[in-house]
Amino acid sequence: LHRLLEPVQPVLEYQTSRECAVMALRNLLRYWLRANQLPSVAEFMGVATELEGAEMGLLDASDQGQSQDLHRFSARGDYNIDVMQRVVQRRTLDGQQLSLEYWDGQVTTRELGFVIHAGDHYWSILNSQHAWGEMDSLQGSPHTM
């Protein structure tokens, strides 16, 4: 993949509440996409609701007890990986659909970066043209690795 925009210094966006999944993707994608192409909290909520509704439609009356397992987000603003994958798949770079995949140690495509989840927090590792950098919405600034 080639960059659409001129190289820029990574800018870190800070979370104002429990929205680390949204900020992890925004901080990763802002280097590669224009501001109006970045995901929003509203988009994350819409995707989560859409996924939950689709799964609820598959349950019949005997399965209704399983509906508590369908939650794609929490009241704290946390989103699961299914929501993040769907949000990323809605974007393209140089005409190619972006994807968020589980990394198994095999590099088959050029990674723009990684989204890391540990405990109850998401952050990203950006692969810019200059260096790898850690983009954590709770930290003071991007950290070059």
Side-chain angles (χ1 to χ4, degrees):
L1 298 176
H2 302 286
R3 287 197 23 83
L4 291 174
L5 308 173
E6 291 299 313
V8 295
Q9 193 67 13
V11 176
L12 184 63
E13 188 171 357
Y14 301 99
Q15 64 189 70
T16 56
S17 62
R18 300 282 304 175
E19 54 195 21
C20 60
V22 178
M23 293 300 108
L25 280 182
R26 286 180 64 88
N27 283 329
L28 176 65
L29 295 174
R30 75 182 324 105
Y31 184 81
W32 304 99
L33 303 176
R34 291 180 168 76
N36 65 349
Q37 297 172 304
L38 296 175
S40 66
V41 172
E43 181 181 4
F44 267 74
M45 286 295 294
V47 168
T49 302
E50 177 184 303
L51 288 171
E52 287 179 4
E55 288 188 21
M56 282 295 287
L58 297 174
L59 298 178
D60 61 26
S62 65
D63 296 325
Q64 291 303 314
Q66 296 177 5
S67 64
Q68 72 268 7
D69 296 333
L70 300 179
H71 297 296
R72 303 293 181 179
F73 62 95
S74 72
R76 298 182 330 199
D78 298 324
Y79 297 88
N80 74 5
I81 191 69
D82 298 327
V83 174
M84 295 177 75
Q85 286 174 321
R86 184 71 58 97
V87 167
V88 169
Q89 288 172 345
R90 291 180 170 186
R91 281 145 180 88
T92 61
L93 180 64
D94 289 345
Q96 294 182 355
Q97 182 183 34
L98 296 179
S99 65
L100 184 66
E101 304 167 351
Y102 290 101
W103 188 58
D104 62 1
Q106 302 295 317
V107 178
T108 58
T109 61
R110 180 170 174 246
E111 279 76 24
L112 302 179
F114 299 93
V115 175
I116 311 294
H117 183 254
D120 63 350
H121 184 59
Y122 286 100
W123 72 96
S124 54
I125 306 292
L126 170 68
N127 180 9
S128 73
Q129 292 180 340
H130 308 291
W132 288 89
E134 183 176 9
M135 307 289 282
D136 188 338
S137 60
L138 294 177
Q139 299 296 320
S141 62
H143 295 91
T144 303
M145 301 174 79

